[in-house]
Amino acid sequence: MFNSYLLPVLLLILLLAAALKKVPVYRAFCKGAGDAIPLATSLFPFLCAVMIMSELMRLSGVSRYLSELLSPALSLLGIPGELSPLLLMKPFSGSASLAMLSDILKANGTDSVISRCAAVVYGSSETVFYVTAVYFSGTGKRKFFFPVAVSLLIGIFSAALGCALIRLGL
């Protein structure tokens, strides 16, 4: 019940604070919305490229091939091999990986080790390429190999650690 009032109360506090500071709220809102247009146009090509890449990986079978190739290595890290498609998709698309998570939960039950590991993999990783596209298109920086590599490695590390903790019953 409290949650339904939170956003209107915060909006009211914001409007009161703006009125006290004599900020022209509507004009400031319109200026902010106008400033977002150049950002959206610079962001669009990067987001489009990420979406096309993720769909091409899925349709071409590359993601299936990589999943089969990585499955034994992930098993050595303690990550169930069945989760390799999820681990590969999450850096590209949150919605596609959420659909994969849903399929895993339906197929294995919500309390199985694989399902709990899948939930950890989903929750402990990020849509690295989407965030990279948004951040680097907004900042204009072009050196993104190191941050992407570190993010992907941390995603694998957190998945392995989470699966190990699940296997220990924690």
Side-chain angles (χ1 to χ4, degrees), residues 77 128 146-160:
L77 293 173
V128 173
F146 185 72
V148 168
V150 169
S151 298
L152 293 173
L153 286 174
I154 292 298
I156 292 170
F157 174 76
S158 63

Side-chain angles (χ1 to χ4, degrees), residues 5-20 25:
Y5 294 111
L6 185 62
L7 192 57
V9 168
L10 287 175
L11 184 60
L12 184 61
I13 291 170
L14 177 73
L15 290 173
L16 287 173
L20 290 174
V25 177

